[in-house]
Amino acid sequence: MEIIKNKEYELLIEDMTVSGEGVGKIDGYALFVKDTVVGDRIIAKVIKVKKNYGYGRLISIIEPSEERVEAPCPNARACGGCTLMAMTYESQLEFKRKLIENNLRHIGGFTDIFIPPVIGMDKPFRYRNKAQFPVGKDRNGNIVMGFYAGRTHSIVPCEDCLIGSNVNAIILAKIKEYMVKNNVEPYDETSHSGLIRHILIRIGFTTGEIMVCPVINGKSLPNEDELIKMLSNLTFEGDRKIASIIINSNTDKTNVILGKTSRVIFGRGYIEDYIGKIKYRISPLSFYQVNPAQTSVLYDLALEYAGLTGSEIVWDLYCGIGTISLFLAKRAKQVYGVEIVPQAIEDARNNAIINEITNARFYVGKAEEVLPSLYENEGVYADVIVVDPPRKGCDEALLDTIIKMAPRRIVYVSCDSATMARDLKYMAEHGYRLEKVQGVDQFPMTGHVETVCLLSRKAPV
């Protein structure tokens, strides 16, 4: 049967992709349809045809799945963020558990490892402590702030994202008021003109401190004192307050959001927050987990898996601002952290000082370069290694060095279970046994899930 572009077809959604798209079949031909759930019987319009598969747009639902709910956000379909919002939360957690299991089975070759239910949230909304809103204009020339539609740079107006804090809408409305009053143009990436590109907002959920960081195509804003007054006078529920306003300059023609230089115009160049009893200093460029409640769950698991007694040497690779490192330092003899971002390492060192932690040392550089160099030249060793890599996983040179160092335990924390499974397979082929796996839902309503794993060194034969 020939599949025709722009024609509508009836199909049953039988599976879902890792990104949350539904998968149905038309006489064996796979069609990927966003905003659908397993069990939905739908009408879809074919929008792209490949040889063995295609993409469709949901036109109508003939019969909804038992796992379907009405998405509470009116922008859910247009926005590219919350791809699972039309699923019950219980179904989301099971989807993520199966995702971890399938990747470990098919990529890692682990066929007998038990994957327990993913640890979810009691209230899976309003959990994000960070948001980055692109700024632009609509067809009528009005300023819009929101998020990009899936696979595009078209802005979907959305100033009050339901997985973000409710302070965001208040702040964005005030910035829009400032822009209109002072004739400040939003950035146009086609012409590389205009001034305000993005608005970054970070919130300390425990401290109540808020950072507002306009990202601009220049070095300064007109009437900055007026913007400072407008923002600093805002009031919020609870004890939340604007503690930091920072101008970040990004004049490059790039999709990268933040530039390399920042200037404080109000308050401090950072905010502070807690995970557990550890205080962290967070600057605009710092990596800091976006869901503090679930981060505490994740790090408690990492600490449990590390099995520290107070005598261990621990290496924390891709350590960011020292979030896991400082958790571990409370129970280890010595912790060493490695991170490529200099500002993050500066924050990590400051975080150690403000928490009066003296047994944590941090190195700037690529983990796949720093650790092999220190191992070859200085003979460093580890009893436990914790690794929390970016989505691409670990470089093979780094894995080789970890294996040579032969730590008793490896704790692998991952935001991508596919690259995790690949790396775990490599370590399993070189003397390590996968002992435990636990998913933690850091990102409800989206297709992403964090996973923490424990590997132990096999006894020599």
Side-chain angles (χ1 to χ4, degrees):
M1 176 181 180
E2 181 184 2
I3 305 302
I4 302 172
K5 184 178 178 180
N6 294 324
K7 184 177 179 180
E8 295 182 2
Y9 296 87
E10 179 180 330
L11 67 157
L12 175 68
I13 301 300
E14 301 173 350
D15 201 355
M16 294 183 73
T17 68
V18 295
S19 58
E21 293 175 311
V23 184
K25 291 185 178 180
I26 308 167
D27 282 357
Y29 182 87
L31 194 70
F32 300 97
V33 187
K34 183 178 172 290
D35 305 310
T36 59
V37 175
V38 172
D40 281 342
R41 185 168 293 280
I42 67 166
I43 299 293
K45 182 178 182 179
V46 177
I47 57 175
K48 184 180 289 187
V49 177
K50 300 282 188 177
K51 182 178 179 180
N52 297 315
Y53 64 93
Y55 293 91
R57 179 183 295 116
L58 175 63
I59 300 300
S60 63
I61 300 173
I62 300 171
E63 183 179 342
S65 165
E66 292 181 355
E67 297 180 2
R68 172 173 285 279
V69 294
E70 185 68 29
C73 176
N75 299 305
R77 285 191 62 180
C79 174
C82 295
T83 55
L84 302 185
M85 192 174 270
M87 294 177 71
T88 66
Y89 189 50
E90 293 76 13
S91 298
Q92 292 182 37
L93 295 178
E94 177 58 14
F95 167 80
K96 295 178 183 187
R97 191 200 68 80
K98 287 181 178 178
L99 176 64
I100 297 168
E101 181 178 63
N102 289 338
N103 282 331
L104 285 174
R105 181 181 297 273
H106 299 302
I107 299 174
F110 300 99
T111 57
D112 57 354
I113 188 74
F114 171 67
I115 311 297
V118 171
I119 299 173
M121 301 186 72
D122 292 335
K123 297 179 180 179
F125 292 97
R126 301 293 188 192
Y127 62 83
R128 285 188 64 95
N129 58 18
K130 174 185 175 184
Q132 297 173 134
F133 296 89
V135 184
K137 284 188 174 182
D138 63 16
R139 294 177 181 176
N140 299 318
N142 300 310
I143 296 171
V144 293
M145 302 169 177
F147 301 102
Y148 293 128
R151 299 189 182 92
T152 78
H153 269 213
S154 298
I155 298 175
V156 177
C158 180
E159 296 173 16
D160 186 23
C161 171
L162 296 185
I163 63 173
S165 171
N166 53 14
V167 309
N168 294 335
I170 299 170
I171 293 168
L172 294 179
K174 190 59 65 174
I175 293 176
K176 186 183 292 185
E177 180 185 333
Y178 156 81
M179 292 177 68
V180 171
K181 185 176 180 181
N182 292 277
N183 296 312
V184 178
E185 289 290 304
Y187 179 69
D188 184 312
E189 62 182 20
T190 303
S191 62
H192 194 52
S193 62
L195 196 53
I196 297 187
R197 303 172 70 129
H198 283 80
I199 306 297
L200 165 65
I201 302 173
R202 306 189 82 148
I203 303 165
F205 276 19
T206 302
T207 62
E209 295 180 352
I210 301 171
M211 173 189 292
V212 181
C213 180
V215 182
I216 67 172
N217 179 37
K219 294 183 178 180
S220 64
L221 289 168
N223 298 327
E224 286 183 357
D225 288 343
E226 184 174 359
L227 177 63
I228 292 169
K229 184 178 180 181
M230 293 174 75
L231 290 176
S232 60
N233 286 338
L234 287 173
T235 57
F236 308 96
E237 293 180 359
D239 296 326
R240 291 180 172 178
K241 62 184 182 300
I242 303 288
S244 174
I245 305 175
I246 300 170
I247 301 295
N248 177 266
S249 295
N250 184 356
T251 57
D252 295 337
K253 292 183 178 180
T254 177
N255 290 333
V256 176
I257 293 176
L258 290 170
K260 296 179 180 178
T261 60
S262 298
R263 178 170 54 89
V264 180
I265 63 171
F266 175 81
R268 305 169 306 194
Y270 59 87
I271 59 172
E272 294 180 331
D273 200 17
Y274 287 83
I275 299 177
K277 295 181 179 180
I278 305 294
K279 181 190 287 188
Y280 297 97
R281 186 169 291 182
I282 308 155
S283 61
L285 293 171
S286 297
F287 172 78
Y288 186 70
Q289 292 279 9
V290 300
N291 185 336
Q294 291 294 84
T295 297
S296 183
V297 173
L298 185 73
Y299 288 0
D300 282 342
L301 277 168
L303 185 59
E304 175 191 329
Y305 285 7
L308 303 178
T309 63
S311 62
E312 292 86 1
I313 303 296
V314 182
W315 281 83
D316 177 18
L317 308 178
Y318 308 97
C319 69
I321 63 172
T323 44
I324 296 180
S325 303
L326 302 185
F327 254 62
L328 300 169
K330 291 288 189 179
R331 296 191 189 176
K333 179 180 179 180
Q334 179 70 42
V335 174
Y336 299 97
V338 183
E339 170 60 48
I340 190 173
V341 180
Q343 180 62 57
I345 288 296
E346 183 179 338
D347 286 339
R349 290 168 179 159
N350 286 328
N351 289 334
I353 292 170
I354 64 179
N355 287 282
E356 300 181 343
I357 292 173
T358 58
N359 61 331
R361 181 179 177 185
F362 298 96
Y363 295 88
V364 177
K366 295 181 179 179
E368 58 267 27
E369 295 176 0
V370 171
L371 190 63
S373 176
L374 290 172
Y375 175 72
E376 295 294 339
N377 298 320
E378 299 182 22
V380 299
Y381 74 97
D383 299 298
V384 177
I385 289 181
V386 178
V387 58
D388 186 3
R391 196 166 297 280
K392 66 179 182 178
C394 294
D395 188 277
E396 194 169 300
L398 178 62
L399 294 177
D400 285 339
T401 302
I402 291 173
I403 290 163
K404 289 176 184 176
M405 291 175 73
R408 294 197 299 272
R409 289 179 296 282
I410 300 170
V411 180
Y412 194 116
V413 181
S414 173
C415 60
D416 188 317
S417 58
T419 56
M420 176 192 78
R422 178 202 66 202
D423 292 348
L424 295 183
K425 179 180 181 181
Y426 190 85
M427 289 186 278
E429 292 171 345
H430 292 83
Y432 282 86
R433 178 184 296 106
L434 180 58
E435 301 281 2
K436 296 179 181 178
V437 177
Q438 178 64 63
V440 178
D441 192 20
Q442 290 275 89
F443 315 103
M445 308 299 139
T446 80
H448 304 295
V449 61
E450 289 276 332
T451 312
V452 58
C453 303
L454 170 64
L455 298 103
S456 62
R457 192 176 70 225
K458 297 175 184 176
V461 178

